Amino acid sequence: MLIEDAIVALQIHEVPGKAIEMRAYHKVDRSYWGLTNPVLDDQARLWRQELPLDERLQLASELWDSNAHEARICATKLLMKARIRPDDHAAWTLIKTWLDEVDCPAISDHFCLAGHRRLTSNPSRIYEVEAWTQSQHMWTRRAALTITLPWTKHRNPKPENLAIREQVLDWAASLAEDQNTSIQKAVATWVFELSRKDPERAAAFLTENGPKMRNFARKDAGRLLPQNITPAA
């Protein structure tokens, strides 16, 4: 599929005036087309159904390289299929090439949604993600936590999933000292989501690491937990 045709298929759904609002909201200097997320969902779903894997990967790569906000989000949605047959190695590799260019919360969140499908399909990739926690690029450090959120969802995790959960909690403990607001929010989100399924472990994390966190993040992480386990700094 030609990238020019794909862009036309997306841009015909422009909502008048929305592009200006999006530019003001996201505060990143790039093209905005004024599209809604349901439009991107529908178009990406159609292309996932119609295009063979090699064409889908090529289209995702070209949409990302266009640097338009909605194009980058649509690129990630093309890779959000739970199972990619016969092999998802190329999809995972493509996702990793995008990482250094992630530069805003919306694109980061969609990037991580695509990434965690590839990560849960092959959990051994967690060792590649571990290196992200040491990156100078803030969005890469943030992605290490956001992409691993599926490991907060198990109420009775199998031993291999529990091991990954503890591995990521070690990362979160280290990143709790990072005073960047986005990193603090990412740590808080991970611990909060964990508290839904394992409040005791979330409480233990905050007892040990809460004093290192900024006040807003500590409170956000523990809002489902008893007040006495979110110690003041």
mmCIF file of all heavy atoms in Angstrom, residues 119 122-134 144-145 148-149 151-152 157-175 190 194 201 205 209:
data_model
loop_
_atom_site.group_PDB
_atom_site.id
_atom_site.type_symbol
_atom_site.label_atom_id
_atom_site.label_comp_id
_atom_site.label_asym_id
_atom_site.label_seq_id
_atom_site.Cartn_x
_atom_site.Cartn_y
_atom_site.Cartn_z
ATOM 1 N N LEU A 119 5.962 -7.851 24.092
ATOM 2 C CA LEU A 119 6.683 -8.266 25.291
ATOM 3 C C LEU A 119 5.993 -9.452 25.957
ATOM 4 O O LEU A 119 6.651 -10.405 26.372
ATOM 5 C CB LEU A 119 6.778 -7.086 26.253
ATOM 6 C CG LEU A 119 7.751 -7.188 27.421
ATOM 7 C CD1 LEU A 119 9.163 -7.456 26.935
ATOM 8 C CD2 LEU A 119 7.699 -5.902 28.249
ATOM 9 N N ASN A 122 6.592 -12.663 24.200
ATOM 10 C CA ASN A 122 7.938 -13.217 24.384
ATOM 11 C C ASN A 122 8.576 -12.529 25.594
ATOM 12 O O ASN A 122 9.340 -11.579 25.449
ATOM 13 C CB ASN A 122 8.786 -13.000 23.133
ATOM 14 C CG ASN A 122 10.154 -13.664 23.222
ATOM 15 O OD1 ASN A 122 10.562 -14.123 24.289
ATOM 16 N ND2 ASN A 122 10.868 -13.711 22.113
ATOM 17 N N PRO A 123 8.257 -12.997 26.796
ATOM 18 C CA PRO A 123 8.726 -12.318 28.002
ATOM 19 C C PRO A 123 10.243 -12.261 28.152
ATOM 20 O O PRO A 123 10.743 -11.465 28.954
ATOM 21 C CB PRO A 123 8.084 -13.136 29.136
ATOM 22 C CG PRO A 123 6.882 -13.774 28.515
ATOM 23 C CD PRO A 123 7.303 -14.083 27.115
ATOM 24 N N SER A 124 10.985 -13.086 27.414
ATOM 25 C CA SER A 124 12.444 -13.010 27.517
ATOM 26 C C SER A 124 12.971 -11.652 27.067
ATOM 27 O O SER A 124 14.105 -11.267 27.397
ATOM 28 C CB SER A 124 13.097 -14.114 26.680
ATOM 29 O OG SER A 124 12.907 -13.895 25.288
ATOM 30 N N ARG A 125 12.158 -10.891 26.362
ATOM 31 C CA ARG A 125 12.550 -9.555 25.919
ATOM 32 C C ARG A 125 12.663 -8.570 27.081
ATOM 33 O O ARG A 125 13.143 -7.451 26.909
ATOM 34 C CB ARG A 125 11.540 -9.038 24.890
ATOM 35 C CG ARG A 125 11.634 -9.772 23.561
ATOM 36 C CD ARG A 125 10.468 -9.474 22.632
ATOM 37 N NE ARG A 125 10.666 -10.096 21.331
ATOM 38 C CZ ARG A 125 9.688 -10.424 20.495
ATOM 39 N NH1 ARG A 125 8.428 -10.187 20.824
ATOM 40 N NH2 ARG A 125 9.961 -10.992 19.322
ATOM 41 N N ILE A 126 12.225 -8.982 28.270
ATOM 42 C CA ILE A 126 12.292 -8.110 29.429
ATOM 43 C C ILE A 126 13.730 -7.684 29.699
ATOM 44 O O ILE A 126 13.986 -6.581 30.211
ATOM 45 C CB ILE A 126 11.685 -8.806 30.676
ATOM 46 C CG1 ILE A 126 11.362 -7.794 31.772
ATOM 47 C CG2 ILE A 126 12.585 -9.900 31.198
ATOM 48 C CD1 ILE A 126 10.161 -6.955 31.491
ATOM 49 N N TYR A 127 14.699 -8.513 29.324
ATOM 50 C CA TYR A 127 16.104 -8.168 29.566
ATOM 51 C C TYR A 127 16.584 -7.066 28.627
ATOM 52 O O TYR A 127 17.513 -6.328 28.973
ATOM 53 C CB TYR A 127 16.968 -9.425 29.453
ATOM 54 C CG TYR A 127 16.629 -10.422 30.543
ATOM 55 C CD1 TYR A 127 15.819 -11.523 30.283
ATOM 56 C CD2 TYR A 127 17.078 -10.219 31.845
ATOM 57 C CE1 TYR A 127 15.475 -12.418 31.300
ATOM 58 C CE2 TYR A 127 16.742 -11.105 32.868
ATOM 59 C CZ TYR A 127 15.936 -12.201 32.581
ATOM 60 O OH TYR A 127 15.590 -13.063 33.596
ATOM 61 N N GLU A 128 15.952 -6.937 27.468
ATOM 62 C CA GLU A 128 16.241 -5.797 26.606
ATOM 63 C C GLU A 128 15.657 -4.519 27.206
ATOM 64 O O GLU A 128 16.282 -3.458 27.166
ATOM 65 C CB GLU A 128 15.668 -6.030 25.211
ATOM 66 C CG GLU A 128 16.241 -7.224 24.463
ATOM 67 C CD GLU A 128 15.581 -7.400 23.106
ATOM 68 O OE1 GLU A 128 15.706 -6.491 22.264
ATOM 69 O OE2 GLU A 128 14.942 -8.451 22.900
ATOM 70 N N VAL A 129 14.458 -4.634 27.765
ATOM 71 C CA VAL A 129 13.784 -3.479 28.339
ATOM 72 C C VAL A 129 14.531 -2.964 29.562
ATOM 73 O O VAL A 129 14.545 -1.753 29.831
ATOM 74 C CB VAL A 129 12.323 -3.827 28.681
ATOM 75 C CG1 VAL A 129 11.617 -2.658 29.358
ATOM 76 C CG2 VAL A 129 11.563 -4.233 27.415
ATOM 77 N N GLU A 130 15.169 -3.862 30.302
ATOM 78 C CA GLU A 130 15.880 -3.449 31.512
ATOM 79 C C GLU A 130 16.903 -2.356 31.216
ATOM 80 O O GLU A 130 17.079 -1.416 32.007
ATOM 81 C CB GLU A 130 16.567 -4.643 32.150
ATOM 82 C CG GLU A 130 17.244 -4.312 33.467
ATOM 83 C CD GLU A 130 17.662 -5.555 34.229
ATOM 84 O OE1 GLU A 130 17.860 -6.608 33.580
ATOM 85 O OE2 GLU A 130 17.771 -5.472 35.464
ATOM 86 N N ALA A 131 17.560 -2.439 30.066
ATOM 87 C CA ALA A 131 18.567 -1.435 29.707
ATOM 88 C C ALA A 131 17.949 -0.060 29.517
ATOM 89 O O ALA A 131 18.635 0.960 29.668
ATOM 90 C CB ALA A 131 19.302 -1.861 28.435
ATOM 91 N N TRP A 132 16.660 -0.011 29.208
ATOM 92 C CA TRP A 132 15.999 1.274 28.990
ATOM 93 C C TRP A 132 16.002 2.129 30.256
ATOM 94 O O TRP A 132 15.968 3.355 30.179
ATOM 95 C CB TRP A 132 14.562 1.074 28.527
ATOM 96 C CG TRP A 132 14.393 0.312 27.248
ATOM 97 C CD1 TRP A 132 15.368 -0.249 26.471
ATOM 98 C CD2 TRP A 132 13.157 0.008 26.596
ATOM 99 N NE1 TRP A 132 14.815 -0.875 25.384
ATOM 100 C CE2 TRP A 132 13.468 -0.739 25.435
ATOM 101 C CE3 TRP A 132 11.823 0.275 26.883
ATOM 102 C CZ2 TRP A 132 12.481 -1.207 24.561
ATOM 103 C CZ3 TRP A 132 10.840 -0.175 26.028
ATOM 104 C CH2 TRP A 132 11.152 -0.919 24.862
ATOM 105 N N THR A 133 16.017 1.490 31.411
ATOM 106 C CA THR A 133 15.940 2.245 32.666
ATOM 107 C C THR A 133 17.162 3.130 32.880
ATOM 108 O O THR A 133 17.117 4.058 33.690
ATOM 109 C CB THR A 133 15.798 1.295 33.864
ATOM 110 O OG1 THR A 133 16.974 0.484 33.985
ATOM 111 C CG2 THR A 133 14.580 0.396 33.710
ATOM 112 N N GLN A 134 18.252 2.853 32.167
ATOM 113 C CA GLN A 134 19.489 3.621 32.322
ATOM 114 C C GLN A 134 19.664 4.671 31.229
ATOM 115 O O GLN A 134 20.686 5.350 31.184
ATOM 116 C CB GLN A 134 20.695 2.671 32.306
ATOM 117 C CG GLN A 134 20.636 1.584 33.357
ATOM 118 C CD GLN A 134 20.570 2.149 34.763
ATOM 119 O OE1 GLN A 134 21.320 3.062 35.108
ATOM 120 N NE2 GLN A 134 19.681 1.605 35.580
ATOM 121 N N ALA A 144 10.073 1.925 30.011
ATOM 122 C CA ALA A 144 10.419 0.687 30.709
ATOM 123 C C ALA A 144 9.340 0.291 31.704
ATOM 124 O O ALA A 144 9.060 -0.896 31.903
ATOM 125 C CB ALA A 144 11.766 0.842 31.413
ATOM 126 N N LEU A 145 8.713 1.284 32.337
ATOM 127 C CA LEU A 145 7.627 0.996 33.277
ATOM 128 C C LEU A 145 6.285 0.838 32.562
ATOM 129 O O LEU A 145 5.524 -0.086 32.862
ATOM 130 C CB LEU A 145 7.547 2.103 34.324
ATOM 131 C CG LEU A 145 8.744 2.216 35.269
ATOM 132 C CD1 LEU A 145 8.556 3.383 36.230
ATOM 133 C CD2 LEU A 145 8.963 0.924 36.043
ATOM 134 N N THR A 148 5.596 -2.452 30.744
ATOM 135 C CA THR A 148 5.516 -3.645 31.589
ATOM 136 C C THR A 148 4.276 -3.666 32.478
ATOM 137 O O THR A 148 4.151 -4.536 33.354
ATOM 138 C CB THR A 148 6.776 -3.758 32.477
ATOM 139 O OG1 THR A 148 6.972 -2.524 33.185
ATOM 140 C CG2 THR A 148 8.005 -4.067 31.634
ATOM 141 N N LEU A 149 3.346 -2.765 32.257
ATOM 142 C CA LEU A 149 2.129 -2.723 33.087
ATOM 143 C C LEU A 149 1.334 -4.031 33.095
ATOM 144 O O LEU A 149 0.653 -4.309 34.095
ATOM 145 C CB LEU A 149 1.235 -1.566 32.639
ATOM 146 C CG LEU A 149 1.629 -0.190 33.180
ATOM 147 C CD1 LEU A 149 0.832 0.913 32.484
ATOM 148 C CD2 LEU A 149 1.441 -0.111 34.687
ATOM 149 N N TRP A 151 2.227 -6.803 33.869
ATOM 150 C CA TRP A 151 2.650 -7.618 35.014
ATOM 151 C C TRP A 151 2.094 -7.106 36.337
ATOM 152 O O TRP A 151 2.351 -7.703 37.381
ATOM 153 C CB TRP A 151 4.170 -7.728 35.026
ATOM 154 C CG TRP A 151 4.606 -8.816 34.084
ATOM 155 C CD1 TRP A 151 4.743 -10.154 34.362
ATOM 156 C CD2 TRP A 151 4.913 -8.669 32.699
ATOM 157 N NE1 TRP A 151 5.118 -10.843 33.226
ATOM 158 C CE2 TRP A 151 5.236 -9.951 32.186
ATOM 159 C CE3 TRP A 151 4.964 -7.583 31.821
ATOM 160 C CZ2 TRP A 151 5.596 -10.177 30.861
ATOM 161 C CZ3 TRP A 151 5.312 -7.804 30.493
ATOM 162 C CH2 TRP A 151 5.625 -9.085 30.028
ATOM 163 N N THR A 152 1.306 -6.042 36.297
ATOM 164 C CA THR A 152 0.582 -5.615 37.500
ATOM 165 C C THR A 152 -0.795 -6.266 37.578
ATOM 166 O O THR A 152 -1.480 -6.115 38.587
ATOM 167 C CB THR A 152 0.381 -4.090 37.518
ATOM 168 O OG1 THR A 152 -0.508 -3.705 36.438
ATOM 169 C CG2 THR A 152 1.699 -3.358 37.368
ATOM 170 N N PRO A 157 -0.052 -14.538 40.320
ATOM 171 C CA PRO A 157 0.890 -14.731 39.215
ATOM 172 C C PRO A 157 1.642 -16.058 39.308
ATOM 173 O O PRO A 157 1.954 -16.536 40.401
ATOM 174 C CB PRO A 157 1.848 -13.550 39.366
ATOM 175 C CG PRO A 157 1.760 -13.159 40.807
ATOM 176 C CD PRO A 157 0.340 -13.430 41.200
ATOM 177 N N LYS A 158 1.906 -16.636 38.140
ATOM 178 C CA LYS A 158 2.773 -17.802 38.077
ATOM 179 C C LYS A 158 4.187 -17.372 38.467
ATOM 180 O O LYS A 158 4.528 -16.192 38.398
ATOM 181 C CB LYS A 158 2.747 -18.382 36.670
ATOM 182 C CG LYS A 158 1.384 -18.924 36.254
ATOM 183 C CD LYS A 158 1.420 -19.458 34.831
ATOM 184 C CE LYS A 158 0.060 -20.000 34.423
ATOM 185 N NZ LYS A 158 0.062 -20.493 33.012
ATOM 186 N N PRO A 159 5.024 -18.328 38.878
ATOM 187 C CA PRO A 159 6.377 -17.968 39.328
ATOM 188 C C PRO A 159 7.149 -17.118 38.328
ATOM 189 O O PRO A 159 7.842 -16.164 38.732
ATOM 190 C CB PRO A 159 7.036 -19.328 39.552
ATOM 191 C CG PRO A 159 5.911 -20.238 39.893
ATOM 192 C CD PRO A 159 4.755 -19.769 39.062
ATOM 193 N N GLU A 160 7.033 -17.424 37.033
ATOM 194 C CA GLU A 160 7.780 -16.650 36.045
ATOM 195 C C GLU A 160 7.261 -15.216 35.936
ATOM 196 O O GLU A 160 8.039 -14.267 35.729
ATOM 197 C CB GLU A 160 7.741 -17.333 34.675
ATOM 198 C CG GLU A 160 6.363 -17.570 34.095
ATOM 199 C CD GLU A 160 5.751 -18.908 34.481
ATOM 200 O OE1 GLU A 160 6.146 -19.473 35.530
ATOM 201 O OE2 GLU A 160 4.894 -19.398 33.724
ATOM 202 N N ASN A 161 5.956 -15.037 36.109
ATOM 203 C CA ASN A 161 5.404 -13.681 36.081
ATOM 204 C C ASN A 161 5.719 -12.924 37.373
ATOM 205 O O ASN A 161 5.945 -11.704 37.343
ATOM 206 C CB ASN A 161 3.892 -13.730 35.854
ATOM 207 C CG ASN A 161 3.544 -14.152 34.437
ATOM 208 O OD1 ASN A 161 4.233 -13.784 33.490
ATOM 209 N ND2 ASN A 161 2.471 -14.915 34.278
ATOM 210 N N LEU A 162 5.727 -13.635 38.476
ATOM 211 C CA LEU A 162 6.095 -12.997 39.738
ATOM 212 C C LEU A 162 7.551 -12.525 39.697
ATOM 213 O O LEU A 162 7.879 -11.436 40.202
ATOM 214 C CB LEU A 162 5.894 -13.972 40.893
ATOM 215 C CG LEU A 162 6.156 -13.418 42.300
ATOM 216 C CD1 LEU A 162 5.252 -12.240 42.606
ATOM 217 C CD2 LEU A 162 5.973 -14.520 43.345
ATOM 218 N N ALA A 163 8.408 -13.307 39.052
ATOM 219 C CA ALA A 163 9.818 -12.918 38.949
ATOM 220 C C ALA A 163 9.962 -11.635 38.137
ATOM 221 O O ALA A 163 10.748 -10.746 38.495
ATOM 222 C CB ALA A 163 10.621 -14.046 38.312
ATOM 223 N N ILE A 164 9.190 -11.521 37.057
ATOM 224 C CA ILE A 164 9.244 -10.302 36.246
ATOM 225 C C ILE A 164 8.675 -9.126 37.034
ATOM 226 O O ILE A 164 9.217 -8.017 36.997
ATOM 227 C CB ILE A 164 8.502 -10.495 34.911
ATOM 228 C CG1 ILE A 164 9.274 -11.473 34.023
ATOM 229 C CG2 ILE A 164 8.305 -9.159 34.183
ATOM 230 C CD1 ILE A 164 8.581 -11.826 32.728
ATOM 231 N N ARG A 165 7.597 -9.351 37.761
ATOM 232 C CA ARG A 165 7.023 -8.287 38.589
ATOM 233 C C ARG A 165 8.064 -7.743 39.561
ATOM 234 O O ARG A 165 8.233 -6.525 39.687
ATOM 235 C CB ARG A 165 5.810 -8.805 39.364
ATOM 236 C CG ARG A 165 5.236 -7.782 40.329
ATOM 237 C CD ARG A 165 4.176 -8.379 41.237
ATOM 238 N NE ARG A 165 2.948 -8.645 40.499
ATOM 239 C CZ ARG A 165 1.854 -9.164 41.066
ATOM 240 N NH1 ARG A 165 1.856 -9.467 42.364
ATOM 241 N NH2 ARG A 165 0.770 -9.378 40.349
ATOM 242 N N GLU A 166 8.782 -8.643 40.219
ATOM 243 C CA GLU A 166 9.793 -8.197 41.174
ATOM 244 C C GLU A 166 10.951 -7.492 40.466
ATOM 245 O O GLU A 166 11.521 -6.527 41.000
ATOM 246 C CB GLU A 166 10.300 -9.384 41.986
ATOM 247 C CG GLU A 166 9.278 -9.942 42.961
ATOM 248 C CD GLU A 166 8.803 -8.896 43.957
ATOM 249 O OE1 GLU A 166 9.652 -8.166 44.505
ATOM 250 O OE2 GLU A 166 7.574 -8.806 44.182
ATOM 251 N N GLN A 167 11.285 -7.951 39.286
ATOM 252 C CA GLN A 167 12.337 -7.295 38.505
ATOM 253 C C GLN A 167 11.954 -5.856 38.190
ATOM 254 O O GLN A 167 12.756 -4.929 38.353
ATOM 255 C CB GLN A 167 12.575 -8.085 37.216
ATOM 256 C CG GLN A 167 13.735 -7.588 36.375
ATOM 257 C CD GLN A 167 13.973 -8.469 35.160
ATOM 258 O OE1 GLN A 167 13.249 -9.432 34.908
ATOM 259 N NE2 GLN A 167 15.009 -8.152 34.394
ATOM 260 N N VAL A 168 10.704 -5.662 37.758
ATOM 261 C CA VAL A 168 10.256 -4.308 37.412
ATOM 262 C C VAL A 168 10.130 -3.448 38.669
ATOM 263 O O VAL A 168 10.437 -2.248 38.643
ATOM 264 C CB VAL A 168 8.925 -4.355 36.631
ATOM 265 C CG1 VAL A 168 8.447 -2.940 36.318
ATOM 266 C CG2 VAL A 168 9.071 -5.151 35.341
ATOM 267 N N LEU A 169 9.729 -4.037 39.785
ATOM 268 C CA LEU A 169 9.677 -3.264 41.024
ATOM 269 C C LEU A 169 11.066 -2.791 41.447
ATOM 270 O O LEU A 169 11.213 -1.704 42.023
ATOM 271 C CB LEU A 169 9.025 -4.095 42.135
ATOM 272 C CG LEU A 169 7.499 -4.192 42.057
ATOM 273 C CD1 LEU A 169 6.983 -5.240 43.040
ATOM 274 C CD2 LEU A 169 6.843 -2.842 42.323
ATOM 275 N N ASP A 170 12.087 -3.578 41.142
ATOM 276 C CA ASP A 170 13.452 -3.109 41.392
ATOM 277 C C ASP A 170 13.759 -1.888 40.533
ATOM 278 O O ASP A 170 14.402 -0.936 41.001
ATOM 279 C CB ASP A 170 14.461 -4.224 41.098
ATOM 280 C CG ASP A 170 14.492 -5.295 42.178
ATOM 281 O OD1 ASP A 170 13.989 -5.040 43.289
ATOM 282 O OD2 ASP A 170 15.023 -6.390 41.904
ATOM 283 N N TRP A 171 13.330 -1.924 39.274
ATOM 284 C CA TRP A 171 13.526 -0.745 38.413
ATOM 285 C C TRP A 171 12.785 0.456 38.994
ATOM 286 O O TRP A 171 13.304 1.565 39.029
ATOM 287 C CB TRP A 171 13.001 -0.989 37.012
ATOM 288 C CG TRP A 171 13.492 -2.194 36.299
ATOM 289 C CD1 TRP A 171 14.528 -3.017 36.644
ATOM 290 C CD2 TRP A 171 12.949 -2.731 35.094
ATOM 291 N NE1 TRP A 171 14.664 -4.018 35.722
ATOM 292 C CE2 TRP A 171 13.718 -3.881 34.774
ATOM 293 C CE3 TRP A 171 11.890 -2.360 34.253
ATOM 294 C CZ2 TRP A 171 13.436 -4.653 33.631
ATOM 295 C CZ3 TRP A 171 11.624 -3.115 33.130
ATOM 296 C CH2 TRP A 171 12.387 -4.248 32.818
ATOM 297 N N ALA A 172 11.525 0.209 39.408
ATOM 298 C CA ALA A 172 10.703 1.297 39.938
ATOM 299 C C ALA A 172 11.346 1.898 41.187
ATOM 300 O O ALA A 172 11.297 3.112 41.399
ATOM 301 C CB ALA A 172 9.295 0.805 40.243
ATOM 302 N N ALA A 173 11.949 1.057 42.011
ATOM 303 C CA ALA A 173 12.612 1.555 43.215
ATOM 304 C C ALA A 173 13.765 2.479 42.849
ATOM 305 O O ALA A 173 13.978 3.514 43.490
ATOM 306 C CB ALA A 173 13.110 0.384 44.057
ATOM 307 N N SER A 174 14.503 2.115 41.822
ATOM 308 C CA SER A 174 15.600 2.972 41.370
ATOM 309 C C SER A 174 15.072 4.266 40.763
ATOM 310 O O SER A 174 15.577 5.358 41.056
ATOM 311 C CB SER A 174 16.456 2.217 40.354
ATOM 312 O OG SER A 174 17.470 3.030 39.829
ATOM 313 N N LEU A 175 14.030 4.142 39.931
ATOM 314 C CA LEU A 175 13.479 5.321 39.268
ATOM 315 C C LEU A 175 12.693 6.213 40.215
ATOM 316 O O LEU A 175 12.411 7.370 39.881
ATOM 317 C CB LEU A 175 12.598 4.878 38.094
ATOM 318 C CG LEU A 175 13.360 4.271 36.906
ATOM 319 C CD1 LEU A 175 12.392 3.640 35.914
ATOM 320 C CD2 LEU A 175 14.214 5.327 36.209
ATOM 321 N N TRP A 190 2.467 2.485 38.036
ATOM 322 C CA TRP A 190 2.802 1.061 38.163
ATOM 323 C C TRP A 190 2.393 0.542 39.545
ATOM 324 O O TRP A 190 1.761 -0.513 39.666
ATOM 325 C CB TRP A 190 4.297 0.853 37.939
ATOM 326 C CG TRP A 190 4.613 -0.418 37.204
ATOM 327 C CD1 TRP A 190 4.839 -0.574 35.869
ATOM 328 C CD2 TRP A 190 4.724 -1.736 37.777
ATOM 329 N NE1 TRP A 190 5.086 -1.897 35.572
ATOM 330 C CE2 TRP A 190 5.021 -2.632 36.726
ATOM 331 C CE3 TRP A 190 4.606 -2.234 39.069
ATOM 332 C CZ2 TRP A 190 5.195 -4.001 36.925
ATOM 333 C CZ3 TRP A 190 4.772 -3.615 39.270
ATOM 334 C CH2 TRP A 190 5.068 -4.479 38.209
ATOM 335 N N LEU A 194 -0.643 -2.091 40.518
ATOM 336 C CA LEU A 194 -0.326 -3.283 41.309
ATOM 337 C C LEU A 194 -1.208 -3.367 42.551
ATOM 338 O O LEU A 194 -1.621 -4.464 42.960
ATOM 339 C CB LEU A 194 1.146 -3.256 41.708
ATOM 340 C CG LEU A 194 1.633 -4.418 42.567
ATOM 341 C CD1 LEU A 194 1.476 -5.741 41.834
ATOM 342 C CD2 LEU A 194 3.083 -4.208 42.983
ATOM 343 N N ARG A 201 1.866 -6.049 48.425
ATOM 344 C CA ARG A 201 3.166 -5.797 47.798
ATOM 345 C C ARG A 201 3.315 -4.316 47.451
ATOM 346 O O ARG A 201 4.405 -3.736 47.584
ATOM 347 C CB ARG A 201 3.319 -6.650 46.521
ATOM 348 C CG ARG A 201 4.711 -6.510 45.881
ATOM 349 C CD ARG A 201 5.767 -7.035 46.802
ATOM 350 N NE ARG A 201 7.121 -6.840 46.277
ATOM 351 C CZ ARG A 201 7.888 -5.783 46.531
ATOM 352 N NH1 ARG A 201 7.415 -4.808 47.326
ATOM 353 N NH2 ARG A 201 9.097 -5.695 46.034
ATOM 354 N N PHE A 205 6.192 -1.750 48.868
ATOM 355 C CA PHE A 205 7.015 -0.894 48.005
ATOM 356 C C PHE A 205 6.996 0.542 48.507
ATOM 357 O O PHE A 205 8.042 1.191 48.599
ATOM 358 C CB PHE A 205 6.515 -0.949 46.563
ATOM 359 C CG PHE A 205 7.296 -0.057 45.629
ATOM 360 C CD1 PHE A 205 8.395 -0.536 44.942
ATOM 361 C CD2 PHE A 205 6.937 1.276 45.445
ATOM 362 C CE1 PHE A 205 9.140 0.288 44.101
ATOM 363 C CE2 PHE A 205 7.667 2.114 44.604
ATOM 364 C CZ PHE A 205 8.766 1.611 43.935
ATOM 365 N N ASN A 209 10.032 2.741 49.602
ATOM 366 C CA ASN A 209 10.474 3.696 48.584
ATOM 367 C C ASN A 209 9.686 4.997 48.544
ATOM 368 O O ASN A 209 10.093 5.943 47.871
ATOM 369 C CB ASN A 209 10.411 3.038 47.202
ATOM 370 C CG ASN A 209 11.311 1.825 47.104
ATOM 371 O OD1 ASN A 209 12.525 1.950 47.031
ATOM 372 N ND2 ASN A 209 10.706 0.641 47.116
#
